[in-house]
Amino acid sequence: MKRLGTALHVVQNKLIVRRDAADPPKIGSVVVDRKSTKIGKVSDIFGPLERPYVIVRPARGVDTTVHVGSMLYVESPRRDGKWKR
């Protein structure tokens, strides 16, 4: 898992996450919490290049308000290029 950032707000049922580093994740990357529970996928990136914001489209049945203020992570791809589940 790679650290994504802290979930700040929920806007139209999408999480706005403040990225901790300048290297943004790829669009479509799977976002998980610290227990490796799938939260959703990265749908957009915007803002300053030094610390961009990431929009996470939640998976079905995920209550986005529960994750506000918590650290979120991006799953790392396996060596064969497929994503871990």
Side-chain angles (χ1 to χ4, degrees), residues 1-79:
M1 286 192 309
K2 189 174 180 183
R3 189 174 167 161
L4 176 64
T6 305
L8 299 177
H9 307 285
V10 176
V11 177
Q12 295 179 352
N13 198 32
K14 294 182 179 105
L15 279 169
I16 306 296
V17 178
R18 178 64 177 223
R19 181 78 178 122
D20 292 336
D23 59 329
K26 293 182 179 181
I27 302 290
S29 297
V30 176
V31 177
V32 297
D33 62 8
R34 64 183 179 95
K35 296 178 183 177
S36 294
T37 304
K38 183 177 176 180
I39 304 302
K41 291 186 177 183
V42 174
S43 66
D44 201 3
I45 301 166
F46 67 97
L49 294 176
E50 298 81 32
R51 290 187 65 195
Y53 293 92
V54 177
I55 296 176
V56 177
R57 176 171 288 166
R60 288 187 184 197
V62 174
D63 183 9
T64 53
T65 58
V66 171
H67 300 288
V68 172
S70 62
M71 181 60 62
L72 297 178
Y73 303 87
V74 175
E75 284 190 338
S76 303
R78 299 186 315 204
R79 291 181 188 224

